[in-house]
Amino acid sequence: MIVFNGDFVDRGSWSVEVVLTLFAYKWLYPDRVFLNRGNHETNDMNKVYGFEGECKAKHGEMTYKLFADVFTSCKCLLWGKKRYFVVHGGPPVSQDGVLLEEVKKIDRFGRQPGQEGLMCELLWTDPQEQIGRGPSKRGVGLGFGPDVTRRWCELNKITAVIRSHEVRQDGYAIEHDGLCITTFSCPNYCDSTGNQAAYVKMQADGQLSYHQFAAVPHPDIKPMAYSSGFGGMMGL
């Protein structure tokens, strides 16, 4: 089983090719390939960070609208052996006591995550070192401390949260006393950060291993060649 944990598009200039490859694998191996939705599989982000412009330039507006519809069908979470909670941003932590059953009932089809609520938190939250909750550096979602992670995992009998959403210099990081694992599979993010990339491999018994890789040369096209910038979000 392979899980791609969101942010298939935007930032780069080959988002169309990347997401079509993922969809092809999903079509070929429907029971083995799973696509979790990230915060960049959303209309607002696509307008600002490049996917809308790229898709329209390469294949036209109707194709972009089709992609936007398909993105809403992607799951927001997955868990497997030993109950690992795999999600793009993080668990729903704006308040204590949220159960997995509530998360599973989210009606994701045709919906954008908005600025608050369970779906927004799954796609936008970030871990922080400080205990408790804090404002998000992104302006959407929030930060959650190790105590918040522990309470949520214990309540829902979760072994650990595996998430993405943030660059890590080594490609991955194990945080919150092992209860929050970040993995980031884009090396040298935006051709500027020099980071390694990594993926997590889970054995049949639930044991995890981490595998790093570096960037390879690509054609000389800027990472956000199709981006409209924040002016596009305001219709300017």
Side-chain angles (χ1 to χ4, degrees), residues 23-97:
F23 285 175
Y25 275 114
K26 179 64 176 175
W27 174 78
L28 188 61
Y29 304 109
D31 299 322
R32 299 183 183 182
V33 174
F34 297 89
L35 306 178
N36 270 358
R37 190 180 187 182
N39 66 306
H40 279 269
E41 280 70 60
T42 58
N43 292 348
D44 286 348
M45 300 298 280
N46 292 164
K47 183 176 290 292
V48 176
Y49 289 103
F51 181 65
E52 179 178 337
E54 178 188 346
C55 193
K56 288 181 177 179
K58 293 178 177 178
H59 299 290
E61 184 171 358
M62 291 303 296
T63 300
Y64 170 69
K65 290 182 177 179
L66 180 60
F67 271 117
D69 286 342
V70 173
F71 287 158
T72 70
S73 69
C74 293
K75 292 180 179 292
C76 296
L77 64 98
L78 185 80
W79 59 92
K81 296 278 186 175
K82 294 183 67 175
R83 290 177 70 90
Y84 286 102
F85 184 78
V86 185
V87 66
H88 181 72
V93 291
S94 60
Q95 58 183 344
D96 289 336

Coordinates of all heavy atoms in Angstrom, one line a residue, residues 23-97:
F23 N -2.9 9.9 -10.3 CA -4.3 9.4 -10.6 C -4.2 8.1 -11.5 O -5.0 7.2 -11.3 CB -5.0 10.5 -11.4 CG -5.5 11.6 -10.6 CD1 -6.2 12.7 -11.2 CD2 -5.4 11.6 -9.2 CE1 -6.7 13.7 -10.4 CE2 -5.9 12.6 -8.4 CZ -6.5 13.7 -9.0
A24 N -3.1 8.0 -12.3 CA -3.0 6.8 -13.1 C -2.6 5.6 -12.2 O -3.2 4.5 -12.4 CB -1.8 7.0 -14.1
Y25 N -1.8 5.9 -11.2 CA -1.5 4.8 -10.3 C -2.7 4.4 -9.5 O -2.9 3.2 -9.2 CB -0.3 5.2 -9.3 CG 1.0 5.0 -9.9 CD1 1.9 6.0 -10.2 CD2 1.5 3.7 -10.1 CE1 3.2 5.8 -10.7 CE2 2.8 3.4 -10.6 CZ 3.6 4.5 -10.9 OH 4.9 4.3 -11.4
K26 N -3.5 5.4 -9.1 CA -4.8 5.1 -8.4 C -5.7 4.3 -9.2 O -6.4 3.3 -8.7 CB -5.4 6.4 -7.9 CG -6.7 6.2 -7.2 CD -6.5 5.4 -5.8 CE -7.8 5.3 -5.1 NZ -7.7 4.5 -3.8
W27 N -5.8 4.6 -10.5 CA -6.6 3.8 -11.4 C -6.1 2.4 -11.6 O -6.9 1.5 -11.6 CB -6.7 4.6 -12.8 CG -7.4 3.8 -13.8 CD1 -8.8 3.7 -14.0 CD2 -6.9 3.0 -14.9 NE1 -9.1 2.9 -15.0 CE2 -7.9 2.5 -15.6 CE3 -5.5 2.8 -15.3 CZ2 -7.7 1.7 -16.7 CZ3 -5.3 1.9 -16.4 CH2 -6.4 1.4 -17.1
L28 N -4.8 2.3 -11.7 CA -4.2 1.0 -12.0 C -4.2 0.1 -10.7 O -4.5 -1.1 -10.8 CB -2.7 1.2 -12.4 CG -2.0 -0.1 -12.9 CD1 -2.7 -0.7 -14.1 CD2 -0.5 0.3 -13.3
Y29 N -4.0 0.7 -9.5 CA -4.0 -0.1 -8.3 C -5.0 0.6 -7.3 O -4.5 1.1 -6.3 CB -2.6 -0.1 -7.7 CG -1.5 -0.6 -8.6 CD1 -0.6 0.2 -9.2 CD2 -1.4 -2.0 -8.9 CE1 0.4 -0.2 -10.0 CE2 -0.5 -2.5 -9.8 CZ 0.5 -1.6 -10.3 OH 1.4 -2.1 -11.2
P30 N -6.2 0.5 -7.5 CA -7.2 1.2 -6.7 C -7.2 0.8 -5.2 O -7.6 1.6 -4.3 CB -8.6 0.9 -7.3 CG -8.3 -0.4 -8.1 CD -6.9 -0.3 -8.6
D31 N -6.8 -0.4 -4.9 CA -6.8 -0.9 -3.5 C -5.4 -0.8 -2.9 O -5.3 -1.2 -1.7 CB -7.3 -2.4 -3.5 CG -8.7 -2.5 -4.0 OD1 -9.5 -1.6 -3.7 OD2 -9.0 -3.6 -4.7
R32 N -4.5 -0.3 -3.6 CA -3.1 -0.2 -3.1 C -2.6 1.2 -3.0 O -1.7 1.5 -2.2 CB -2.2 -1.0 -3.9 CG -2.5 -2.5 -3.9 CD -1.5 -3.3 -4.8 NE -1.8 -4.7 -4.9 CZ -1.0 -5.6 -5.5 NH1 0.1 -5.2 -6.1 NH2 -1.4 -6.9 -5.6
V33 N -3.1 2.1 -3.8 CA -2.7 3.5 -3.8 C -3.8 4.4 -3.2 O -5.0 4.3 -3.6 CB -2.4 4.0 -5.2 CG1 -2.1 5.5 -5.3 CG2 -1.2 3.2 -5.8
F34 N -3.4 5.3 -2.2 CA -4.4 6.1 -1.6 C -3.9 7.6 -1.6 O -2.7 7.8 -1.4 CB -4.6 5.7 -0.1 CG -5.2 4.3 0.0 CD1 -4.4 3.2 0.0 CD2 -6.5 4.2 0.0 CE1 -4.9 1.9 0.1 CE2 -7.1 2.9 0.1 CZ -6.3 1.8 0.2
L35 N -4.8 8.5 -1.9 CA -4.4 9.9 -2.1 C -5.1 10.7 -1.0 O -6.3 10.9 -1.1 CB -4.8 10.4 -3.5 CG -4.3 9.6 -4.7 CD1 -4.9 10.1 -6.0 CD2 -2.8 9.5 -4.7
N36 N -4.4 11.2 0.0 CA -4.9 12.1 1.0 C -4.9 13.5 0.5 O -3.9 13.9 -0.2 CB -4.1 12.0 2.3 CG -4.5 10.9 3.2 OD1 -5.5 10.2 3.0 ND2 -3.8 10.8 4.3
R37 N -5.9 14.2 0.8 CA -6.0 15.6 0.3 C -5.1 16.5 1.2 O -5.1 16.3 2.4 CB -7.5 16.1 0.4 CG -7.8 17.4 -0.2 CD -9.2 17.8 -0.1 NE -9.6 19.0 -0.8 CZ -10.8 19.5 -0.8 NH1 -11.8 19.0 -0.1 NH2 -11.0 20.6 -1.5
G38 N -4.4 17.4 0.5 CA -3.7 18.4 1.3 C -4.3 19.8 1.2 O -5.3 20.0 0.4
N39 N -3.7 20.8 1.8 CA -4.3 22.1 1.8 C -4.1 22.8 0.4 O -4.8 23.8 0.1 CB -3.7 23.0 2.9 CG -2.2 23.3 2.6 OD1 -1.4 22.4 2.5 ND2 -1.9 24.6 2.6
H40 N -3.3 22.2 -0.5 CA -3.1 22.7 -1.8 C -4.0 22.1 -2.8 O -4.1 22.5 -4.0 CB -1.7 22.6 -2.3 CG -0.8 23.7 -1.7 ND1 -0.6 24.9 -2.4 CD2 -0.1 23.8 -0.6 CE1 0.2 25.7 -1.7 NE2 0.5 25.0 -0.6
E41 N -4.8 21.1 -2.4 CA -5.9 20.6 -3.3 C -7.2 21.3 -3.0 O -8.2 20.7 -2.7 CB -6.0 19.0 -3.1 CG -5.0 18.2 -3.7 CD -3.6 18.3 -3.1 OE1 -3.5 18.0 -1.9 OE2 -2.7 18.8 -3.8
T42 N -7.1 22.6 -3.1 CA -8.2 23.5 -2.8 C -8.2 24.7 -3.8 O -7.1 25.1 -4.3 CB -8.1 24.1 -1.4 OG1 -6.9 24.8 -1.2 CG2 -8.2 23.0 -0.3
N43 N -9.3 25.2 -4.0 CA -9.5 26.3 -5.1 C -8.6 27.5 -4.8 O -8.0 28.1 -5.6 CB -10.9 26.7 -5.2 CG -11.8 25.5 -5.8 OD1 -11.2 24.6 -6.3 ND2 -13.1 25.7 -5.8
D44 N -8.7 28.0 -3.5 CA -8.0 29.2 -3.2 C -6.5 29.1 -3.4 O -5.8 30.0 -3.9 CB -8.3 29.7 -1.7 CG -9.7 30.2 -1.6 OD1 -10.3 30.5 -2.6 OD2 -10.1 30.4 -0.4
M45 N -5.9 28.0 -2.9 CA -4.5 27.8 -3.0 C -4.1 27.6 -4.5 O -3.0 28.1 -4.9 CB -4.1 26.6 -2.2 CG -4.4 26.7 -0.7 SD -3.5 28.1 0.1 CE -1.9 27.4 0.3
N46 N -4.9 26.9 -5.2 CA -4.6 26.7 -6.7 C -4.5 28.0 -7.4 O -3.7 28.1 -8.4 CB -5.6 25.7 -7.3 CG -5.5 24.3 -6.8 OD1 -6.4 23.5 -7.0 ND2 -4.4 24.0 -6.1
K47 N -5.4 28.9 -7.1 CA -5.4 30.2 -7.7 C -4.1 31.0 -7.5 O -3.6 31.7 -8.4 CB -6.6 31.0 -7.3 CG -6.8 32.4 -8.0 CD -8.1 33.1 -7.6 CE -9.3 32.3 -8.1 NZ -9.4 32.4 -9.6
V48 N -3.6 30.9 -6.2 CA -2.4 31.7 -5.9 C -1.1 31.1 -6.3 O -0.2 31.7 -6.8 CB -2.4 32.0 -4.3 CG1 -1.2 32.7 -3.9 CG2 -3.7 32.8 -3.9
Y49 N -1.0 29.8 -6.0 CA 0.3 29.1 -6.1 C 0.6 28.3 -7.4 O 1.6 27.6 -7.4 CB 0.5 28.2 -4.9 CG 0.6 29.0 -3.6 CD1 -0.4 29.2 -2.7 CD2 1.8 29.7 -3.3 CE1 -0.3 29.9 -1.5 CE2 2.0 30.4 -2.2 CZ 0.9 30.5 -1.3 OH 1.1 31.3 -0.1
G50 N -0.3 28.5 -8.4 CA 0.2 28.0 -9.7 C -0.6 27.0 -10.4 O -0.6 26.9 -11.6
F51 N -1.3 26.1 -9.7 CA -1.9 24.9 -10.4 C -3.0 25.4 -11.3 O -3.2 24.9 -12.5 CB -2.5 23.9 -9.4 CG -3.1 22.7 -10.1 CD1 -2.3 21.9 -10.9 CD2 -4.5 22.5 -10.0 CE1 -2.9 20.8 -11.6 CE2 -5.0 21.4 -10.7 CZ -4.2 20.5 -11.5
E52 N -3.9 26.4 -10.9 CA -4.9 26.8 -11.8 C -4.4 27.4 -13.1 O -4.8 27.0 -14.2 CB -5.8 27.9 -11.1 CG -6.9 28.4 -12.0 CD -7.8 29.4 -11.3 OE1 -7.9 29.4 -10.1 OE2 -8.5 30.2 -12.0
G53 N -3.3 28.3 -13.0 CA -2.7 28.8 -14.2 C -2.1 27.8 -15.0 O -2.2 27.9 -16.3
E54 N -1.4 26.9 -14.4 CA -0.7 25.8 -15.2 C -1.7 25.0 -15.9 O -1.5 24.7 -17.1 CB 0.2 25.0 -14.2 CG 0.9 23.8 -14.9 CD 1.6 22.9 -14.0 OE1 1.7 23.2 -12.8 OE2 1.9 21.8 -14.4
C55 N -2.7 24.5 -15.2 CA -3.7 23.6 -15.8 C -4.4 24.3 -17.0 O -4.6 23.7 -18.0 CB -4.7 23.2 -14.8 SG -5.7 21.8 -15.3
K56 N -4.8 25.6 -16.8 CA -5.5 26.3 -17.9 C -4.6 26.5 -19.0 O -5.0 26.4 -20.2 CB -6.0 27.6 -17.3 CG -7.2 27.4 -16.4 CD -7.7 28.8 -15.9 CE -9.0 28.6 -15.0 NZ -9.4 29.9 -14.5
A57 N -3.3 26.8 -18.8 CA -2.4 27.0 -19.9 C -2.1 25.8 -20.7 O -1.9 25.8 -21.9 CB -1.0 27.6 -19.3
K58 N -2.1 24.6 -20.0 CA -1.8 23.4 -20.7 C -3.0 22.7 -21.3 O -2.9 22.0 -22.3 CB -1.0 22.4 -19.7 CG 0.3 22.9 -19.3 CD 1.0 22.0 -18.3 CE 2.4 22.4 -17.9 NZ 3.0 21.5 -16.9
H59 N -4.1 22.7 -20.6 CA -5.3 21.9 -21.0 C -6.6 22.7 -21.0 O -7.6 22.1 -21.3 CB -5.4 20.7 -20.1 CG -4.2 19.8 -20.2 ND1 -3.9 19.1 -21.3 CD2 -3.2 19.6 -19.3 CE1 -2.8 18.4 -21.0 NE2 -2.3 18.7 -19.8
G60 N -6.7 23.9 -20.5 CA -7.9 24.7 -20.6 C -8.7 24.7 -19.3 O -8.4 23.9 -18.4
E61 N -9.7 25.6 -19.3 CA -10.4 25.8 -18.0 C -11.3 24.6 -17.6 O -11.4 24.3 -16.4 CB -11.3 27.1 -18.2 CG -12.1 27.4 -16.9 CD -12.8 28.8 -17.0 OE1 -12.7 29.4 -18.1 OE2 -13.5 29.2 -16.1
M62 N -11.9 23.9 -18.5 CA -12.8 22.8 -18.2 C -12.0 21.7 -17.5 O -12.4 21.1 -16.6 CB -13.5 22.3 -19.4 CG -14.5 23.2 -20.0 SD -15.8 23.7 -18.7 CE -16.5 22.1 -18.4
T63 N -10.7 21.5 -18.0 CA -9.9 20.5 -17.3 C -9.6 20.9 -15.9 O -9.6 20.1 -15.0 CB -8.6 20.3 -18.1 OG1 -8.9 19.9 -19.4 CG2 -7.7 19.2 -17.5
Y64 N -9.3 22.2 -15.7 CA -9.0 22.6 -14.3 C -10.2 22.4 -13.4 O -10.1 21.9 -12.3 CB -8.6 24.1 -14.3 CG -8.6 24.6 -12.9 CD1 -7.6 24.2 -12.0 CD2 -9.6 25.5 -12.4 CE1 -7.7 24.6 -10.6 CE2 -9.6 25.9 -11.1 CZ -8.7 25.5 -10.2 OH -8.7 25.9 -8.9
K65 N -11.4 22.7 -13.9 CA -12.6 22.5 -13.1 C -12.8 21.1 -12.8 O -13.3 20.7 -11.7 CB -13.8 23.1 -13.8 CG -13.9 24.6 -13.9 CD -15.1 25.1 -14.6 CE -15.2 26.6 -14.6 NZ -16.4 27.1 -15.3
L66 N -12.5 20.2 -13.7 CA -12.6 18.7 -13.4 C -11.6 18.3 -12.3 O -12.0 17.6 -11.4 CB -12.3 18.0 -14.7 CG -12.4 16.4 -14.6 CD1 -13.8 16.0 -14.1 CD2 -12.0 15.8 -15.9
F67 N -10.4 18.8 -12.4 CA -9.4 18.5 -11.3 C -10.0 19.0 -10.0 O -9.9 18.3 -9.0 CB -8.1 19.2 -11.6 CG -7.1 18.4 -12.4 CD1 -6.7 18.8 -13.7 CD2 -6.6 17.2 -11.9 CE1 -5.8 18.1 -14.4 CE2 -5.7 16.4 -12.6 CZ -5.3 16.9 -13.9
A68 N -10.5 20.3 -10.0 CA -11.0 20.8 -8.7 C -12.1 20.0 -8.1 O -12.2 19.8 -6.9 CB -11.5 22.2 -8.9
D69 N -13.0 19.4 -8.9 CA -14.0 18.5 -8.5 C -13.4 17.2 -7.9 O -13.8 16.7 -6.9 CB -15.0 18.2 -9.6 CG -15.9 19.3 -9.9 OD1 -16.1 20.2 -9.1 OD2 -16.5 19.3 -11.0
V70 N -12.5 16.7 -8.6 CA -11.9 15.4 -8.2 C -11.1 15.6 -6.9 O -11.2 14.7 -6.0 CB -10.9 14.9 -9.3 CG1 -10.1 13.6 -8.8 CG2 -11.6 14.5 -10.6
F71 N -10.5 16.7 -6.7 CA -9.8 16.9 -5.4 C -10.7 16.8 -4.2 O -10.2 16.3 -3.1 CB -9.1 18.3 -5.4 CG -7.9 18.4 -6.3 CD1 -7.4 19.6 -6.7 CD2 -7.2 17.2 -6.7 CE1 -6.3 19.7 -7.6 CE2 -6.1 17.3 -7.5 CZ -5.6 18.6 -8.0
T72 N -11.9 17.2 -4.3 CA -12.8 17.1 -3.2 C -13.2 15.7 -2.8 O -13.7 15.4 -1.7 CB -14.1 17.9 -3.4 OG1 -14.9 17.2 -4.4 CG2 -13.8 19.3 -3.9
S73 N -12.9 14.7 -3.7 CA -13.2 13.3 -3.4 C -12.1 12.6 -2.7 O -12.2 11.5 -2.2 CB -13.6 12.6 -4.7 OG -12.4 12.4 -5.5
C74 N -10.9 13.3 -2.7 CA -9.7 12.7 -2.0 C -10.0 12.6 -0.5 O -10.6 13.6 0.1 CB -8.5 13.5 -2.2 SG -7.9 13.4 -3.9
K75 N -9.6 11.6 0.2 CA -9.8 11.5 1.6 C -8.9 12.5 2.3 O -8.0 13.0 1.8 CB -9.4 10.1 2.1 CG -10.3 8.9 1.6 CD -9.8 7.6 2.1 CE -10.7 6.5 1.7 NZ -12.1 6.6 2.3
C76 N -9.3 12.8 3.6 CA -8.5 13.7 4.4 C -7.6 12.9 5.4 O -6.8 13.5 6.1 CB -9.4 14.6 5.2 SG -10.3 15.7 4.1
L77 N -7.8 11.6 5.6 CA -7.1 10.9 6.6 C -7.1 9.4 6.2 O -7.8 8.9 5.4 CB -7.7 11.0 8.0 CG -9.1 10.5 8.1 CD1 -9.1 9.1 8.8 CD2 -10.0 11.4 9.0
L78 N -6.2 8.7 6.9 CA -6.1 7.2 6.7 C -5.4 6.7 7.9 O -4.5 7.3 8.5 CB -5.3 6.9 5.5 CG -5.2 5.4 5.1 CD1 -6.4 4.9 4.4 CD2 -4.0 5.2 4.2
W79 N -5.7 5.5 8.4 CA -4.9 4.9 9.4 C -4.8 3.4 9.1 O -5.6 2.8 8.4 CB -5.5 5.1 10.8 CG -6.9 4.6 11.1 CD1 -7.3 3.4 11.5 CD2 -8.1 5.3 10.9 NE1 -8.6 3.3 11.6 CE2 -9.2 4.5 11.2 CE3 -8.4 6.6 10.4 CZ2 -10.5 4.9 11.2 CZ3 -9.7 7.0 10.4 CH2 -10.7 6.2 10.7
G80 N -3.7 2.8 9.6 CA -3.4 1.4 9.2 C -3.0 0.6 10.4 O -3.6 0.7 11.5
K81 N -2.0 -0.3 10.2 CA -1.6 -1.2 11.3 C -1.2 -0.4 12.5 O -0.6 0.7 12.4 CB -0.4 -2.0 10.8 CG -0.7 -2.9 9.7 CD -1.3 -4.2 10.1 CE -1.4 -5.2 8.9 NZ -1.9 -6.5 9.3
K82 N -1.5 -0.8 13.7 CA -1.2 -0.2 14.9 C -1.9 1.2 15.1 O -1.5 2.0 15.9 CB 0.3 -0.1 15.2 CG 1.0 -1.4 15.3 CD 2.5 -1.3 15.6 CE 2.7 -0.7 17.0 NZ 4.2 -0.6 17.3
R83 N -2.8 1.5 14.2 CA -3.6 2.7 14.2 C -2.8 4.0 14.1 O -2.8 4.8 15.0 CB -4.5 2.7 15.5 CG -5.6 1.7 15.4 CD -6.4 1.7 16.7 NE -7.2 3.0 16.9 CZ -8.5 3.1 16.4 NH1 -9.1 2.2 15.7 NH2 -9.1 4.3 16.6
Y84 N -2.0 4.1 13.1 CA -1.3 5.3 12.8 C -2.3 6.2 12.1 O -3.0 5.8 11.1 CB -0.1 5.1 11.8 CG 1.1 4.5 12.6 CD1 1.4 3.1 12.4 CD2 1.9 5.3 13.3 CE1 2.5 2.6 13.1 CE2 3.0 4.7 14.0 CZ 3.3 3.4 13.9 OH 4.3 2.8 14.5
F85 N -2.4 7.5 12.5 CA -3.3 8.4 11.9 C -2.5 9.2 10.9 O -1.6 10.0 11.2 CB -3.8 9.4 13.0 CG -4.9 10.3 12.5 CD1 -6.2 10.0 12.3 CD2 -4.6 11.7 12.3 CE1 -7.2 10.9 11.9 CE2 -5.5 12.6 11.9 CZ -6.8 12.2 11.7
V86 N -2.8 9.0 9.6 CA -2.1 9.6 8.5 C -2.9 10.7 7.9 O -4.0 10.5 7.4 CB -1.7 8.6 7.4 CG1 -0.8 9.3 6.3 CG2 -1.0 7.4 8.0
V87 N -2.5 12.0 8.0 CA -3.2 13.1 7.6 C -2.3 14.2 7.1 O -1.1 14.2 7.5 CB -4.1 13.6 8.8 CG1 -3.2 14.1 9.9 CG2 -5.1 14.7 8.3
H88 N -2.7 15.1 6.3 CA -1.8 16.1 5.7 C -1.3 17.1 6.8 O -0.1 17.3 6.9 CB -2.5 16.9 4.6 CG -1.5 17.9 3.9 ND1 -0.5 17.5 3.2 CD2 -1.5 19.2 4.0 CE1 0.2 18.6 2.8 NE2 -0.4 19.7 3.3
G89 N -2.2 17.7 7.5 CA -1.8 18.8 8.4 C -1.6 18.3 9.8 O -0.6 18.3 10.4
G90 N -2.7 17.8 10.4 CA -2.6 17.2 11.8 C -4.0 16.9 12.3 O -5.0 17.0 11.5
P91 N -4.1 16.4 13.5 CA -5.4 16.0 14.0 C -6.3 17.2 14.3 O -5.8 18.3 14.4 CB -5.0 15.2 15.3 CG -3.7 15.8 15.7 CD -3.0 16.2 14.4
P92 N -7.6 17.0 14.5 CA -8.5 18.1 14.9 C -8.3 18.4 16.3 O -8.7 17.7 17.2 CB -9.9 17.5 14.6 CG -9.7 16.1 14.7 CD -8.3 15.7 14.3
V93 N -7.6 19.6 16.6 CA -7.1 19.8 18.0 C -7.6 21.2 18.5 O -7.0 21.6 19.5 CB -5.6 19.7 18.1 CG1 -5.1 18.3 17.9 CG2 -4.9 20.6 17.0
S94 N -8.5 21.8 17.9 CA -9.0 23.1 18.4 C -9.6 23.0 19.7 O -9.7 23.9 20.5 CB -9.9 23.8 17.4 OG -11.1 23.0 17.2
Q95 N -10.1 21.8 20.0 CA -10.7 21.5 21.3 C -10.5 20.0 21.7 O -10.3 19.2 20.8 CB -12.2 21.8 21.3 CG -13.0 21.0 20.3 CD -14.5 21.3 20.2 OE1 -15.0 22.0 21.2 NE2 -15.2 21.0 19.2
D96 N -10.4 19.7 22.9 CA -10.3 18.3 23.4 C -11.5 17.5 23.1 O -12.6 18.1 23.1 CB -9.9 18.3 24.8 CG -8.5 18.8 25.1 OD1 -7.6 18.7 24.2 OD2 -8.2 19.2 26.2
G97 N -11.4 16.2 23.0 CA -12.5 15.3 23.0 C -13.1 15.0 21.6 O -14.1 14.3 21.5

